[in-house]
Structure formats: C-alpha cells, structure tokens
Amino acid sequence: MMMRALVVGCAVAQLILVPAAADAAAAGPPAAPVRNFVQVKDGIWRVSNGGAWALVYVTDEGILLADTINPEFGTWLKGELAKRFPGKPIKYVIYSHSHFDHVEGARVFPEALVVAHEAVLSNMDGRIPHMPGGFYDSDADGKFDATEVRDRLTYPTLGGYCGSNFFNRLDLNKDGEVTPQEYHSDIRPPDLVYSERMTLTLGGRRIDLIHPGKNHANDGTVIYLPAEKVVFSTDFPADALVRGSMRSLPSACGNFDRHPLSEWIKSYRSIEALDFDTLVQGHGTVTFGKQDVVEGRKYFEDLQAVVKDGMSKGMGLQQLKATIKLEQYKDWAFYKQLLEDNIESAYYNLQIYR
C-alpha cells in the first residue's frame, strides 16, 4: 500500500440524454433533483440527488461521506447532516472515482480529509483526464473543443445516452474549449491517496478502501465496511442505466470505457472476494447482493468468450452481430437495444487489448 499526504486540504459526466439547444431552451430550467435519505443499516445511509447516490457512514467519532456529487448537493447535505446528527464532525470524504458528476462538492467540507486512489491525482495533473464513454482529445491539443464532444452525443440505440451535458457547463470563459483546469475547477484534490488498498478507522470501525482495477474509471475505489458487511462503489458494477435490477446490459460506451474486458472481469472478482451481503451503488433505486456481482461478471465473460471465438474463426463485425445472440440474457434490461452495441464494443476492445 502506498499513501501520500498533500499540503492542500473528480470527473465524468453523468451519462444522460442531451437535448438540442433549441429543445433545451424551450423546456426551461431543469427540475430540482429529488433528494432522500434511505437507511441501509444502523449508521449507514444512501442519499439521492436525482439518479446519483452518496453514502453516509455515521460513527461515534464522526461521519464518513462517499461522493459529494456537486456543490449544490454538498451544501444541502451538509445542512441535513447538521440537523440529523448534531455535533458529529465530517471526518472523511471518499471519492469513488474522479468523474466530476460524482465528486464535485467536497469543497463544502473543508474540515474533512479527502481520500482517493492515487490515479485521481494523475487525472488532475493538467493533462486531459480519463473520460468515460467515447470522449477523448482526438486532436491531442490538451483540451476539448465542441466538436470532440458533440460528435459523440448520439449513441446508436439509446439516442444520445453516451453523451453528456458537461461541455457548456464547464466552458467557464465561453471560448468554445474546455481545458483540464476548467474541467477540474470544482473538484478538490485529494489530501491522501493510496495504490492498492488502504484501511481507515473511525469510531472504532474499520473502513477498507480497495482499488478493484480498471472498469468505468481508471481510478476507482470500492469502500468495504467489514463489520456491517456493506460495500459501496459508483458507476461500477451498476452503471447509470441500472434502476431496480442489476440484470441490465452495460452501456458499453467507448468500447467499455477504453479498458480491457479482462480488467472489467478482474474488477468484478475483486468485489466478489469480499465478505458482504449488501452492495450500495451510486446508481440504482435499490441495494444489491453478491449474486448480482456474480451475474454481471459472468455476462462479461460470456460476451468476451463468444466474440473472441468468432474473431478466431475469421468473422467480421457484421457477421458477429448477426450470429451472436447470448439468449441466456434475453430477459435483461436493454437486451434488444444494446446487444449489438455490446458485441461491437467487445470486438473493438479485443482488437486493441489482445
């Protein structure tokens, strides 16, 4: 384990449908997100901000938060915590990963120590950070322009799902470009980082931070509360499409976020290896269990196996799409909409990561 303290003292975008500018203007301002406290176990709550969820862990010594989402939510949450748990200091804020739609807002808690995986710092070092989906700096000029973002807003089967509304919001000087500095303007750098695992203690309770591998992000953290047998993570295993069931085909944006399928499978197994009974996610309307993780891992393994087998037989992409059915998953959400996209993402992923 590596730890590093810094003198001081995450991003991306929630993958949502993006309306055209005229449609957005006609629709008026967006509705305020629904915010609720939902108790998971004694001392553990998940707190919603629309479709995104934070974790609140309350001990005798103070409070640990995971994912402060954005400054507006953080300000609201700070007030709610003061009312619900008067006198309890906020001791830690943990970043599940560095994508800004989940970790902005930590500046609202200056008293807390922010802890994250070490790659969060690499993603904040002035270069273009890791981005989910199809977003990348295609002309390698060290910033995003509107074309690099907007030409990826249309996802074939879900009408823009792999797009994001971050560009206009983060183009602070309205010059048509988003620099890494603008992108990270509301993300507080971590005070403490780790490499593979770290253990914190709060109120006599053990908190394990685990880097599962590369999946939706390259700097993810799984929070494990062994005494309560609770696990928390965000955007993996449950992505933003998941609602009441984890039996949902993954969005597969950006050829599985430009990370090898083998790393995704490794990440699932890292969670499976933990002794837990409740999986709390940054997305989804309910909590989940270990079997949900097992089924998700098996899906990736089955997808990888059939696509790899077809490629070894000389099949091209269109032939793979026409022949692979994975019918054992036909009852999963988004099977009809996303199966071919999953096959295509796996095909290109396996071409890159042999």
Side-chain angles (χ1 to χ4, degrees):
M1 178 184 71
M2 182 187 104
M3 296 189 298
R4 175 168 50 193
L6 303 180
V7 176
V8 295
C10 266
V12 47
Q14 183 176 351
L15 303 179
I16 62 177
L17 299 181
V18 182
D23 294 338
V34 175
R35 291 170 176 160
N36 290 315
F37 270 72
V38 177
Q39 189 161 18
V40 177
K41 290 188 177 182
D42 287 347
I44 303 174
W45 284 261
R46 63 195 308 247
V47 187
S48 66
N49 185 65
W53 294 79
L55 182 77
V56 174
Y57 183 44
V58 182
T59 74
D60 292 340
E61 186 180 347
I63 298 172
L64 176 145
L65 306 178
D67 286 5
T68 43
I69 301 178
N70 61 46
E72 296 76 21
F73 173 78
T75 299
W76 172 84
L77 180 61
K78 189 165 191 172
E80 286 294 309
L81 294 174
K83 288 188 293 186
R84 292 169 180 264
F85 312 108
K88 296 274 189 183
I90 313 301
K91 303 293 284 188
Y92 293 104
V93 171
I94 312 298
Y95 288 169
S96 66
H97 62 303
S98 66
H99 299 159
F100 80 82
D101 56 324
H102 289 281
V103 299
E104 286 186 345
R107 295 186 191 279
V108 175
F109 304 94
E111 70 277 22
L113 192 72
V114 175
V115 187
H117 184 259
E118 62 184 0
V120 171
L121 287 180
S122 300
N123 280 316
M124 297 183 70
D125 68 1
R127 296 173 292 177
I128 288 288
H130 172 266
M131 304 282 282
F135 299 110
Y136 60 91
D137 178 19
S138 59
D139 61 8
D141 66 350
K143 55 195 173 186
F144 288 107
D145 62 43
T147 301
E148 289 172 318
V149 174
R150 290 175 182 148
D151 66 5
R152 293 172 177 81
L153 293 183
T154 301
Y155 196 53
T157 55
L158 292 179
Y161 185 75
C162 286
S164 125
N165 66 349
F166 80 88
F167 189 87
N168 290 333
R169 177 178 179 272
L170 294 179
D171 181 13
L172 301 180
N173 60 6
K174 305 305 175 187
D175 65 351
E177 298 175 336
V178 172
T179 65
Q181 290 73 29
E182 287 176 306
Y183 183 81
H184 290 120
S185 61
D186 270 333
I187 299 178
R188 177 180 158 188
D191 304 302
L192 191 65
V193 300
Y194 73 99
S195 56
E196 298 300 326
R197 296 179 74 107
M198 175 189 287
T199 296
L200 305 172
T201 302
L202 185 63
R205 298 286 181 156
R206 175 172 170 164
I207 302 144
D208 289 338
L209 308 182
I210 301 161
H211 177 57
K214 296 177 180 179
N215 42 75
H216 172 75
N218 68 352
D219 54 13
T221 288
V222 171
I223 300 173
Y224 175 44
L225 307 175
E228 295 85 358
K229 294 190 174 183
V230 169
V231 171
F232 175 83
S233 61
T234 295
D235 281 328
F236 165 82
D239 67 18
L241 284 175
V242 169
R243 296 295 182 264
S245 171
M246 199 86 82
R247 292 184 172 183
S248 176
L249 263 62
S251 58
C253 305
N255 301 328
F256 295 108
D257 298 301
R258 302 183 306 286
H259 292 142
L261 288 173
S262 59
E263 278 286 314
W264 282 83
I265 293 167
K266 169 190 169 185
S267 297
Y268 274 91
R269 288 190 179 278
S270 71
I271 296 179
E272 285 180 56
L274 302 174
D275 180 18
F276 73 95
D277 55 33
T278 305
L279 175 65
V280 181
Q281 292 285 271
H283 291 295
T285 57
V286 298
T287 59
F288 304 97
K290 183 169 289 194
Q291 185 59 28
D292 295 300
V293 183
V294 172
E295 291 179 354
R297 185 254 303 164
K298 287 182 177 178
Y299 173 79
F300 271 91
E301 290 176 336
D302 290 343
L303 176 67
Q304 177 181 245
V306 293
V307 173
K308 184 180 288 188
D309 180 64
M311 292 171 70
S312 72
K313 294 175 179 175
M315 290 185 183
L317 177 57
Q318 295 309 313
Q319 190 175 4
L320 291 170
K321 287 183 177 182
T323 57
I324 293 174
K325 300 304 178 185
L326 288 172
E327 291 188 351
Q328 65 268 43
Y329 300 101
K330 65 182 179 181
D331 294 328
W332 284 30
F334 305 107
Y335 173 84
K336 292 181 179 179
Q337 300 97 320
L338 282 177
L339 179 61
E340 288 193 5
D341 294 306
N342 275 216
I343 294 166
E344 180 171 332
S345 291
Y347 173 80
Y348 287 120
N349 191 286
L350 291 168
Q351 282 190 330
I352 297 168
Y353 306 110
R354 293 178 180 272

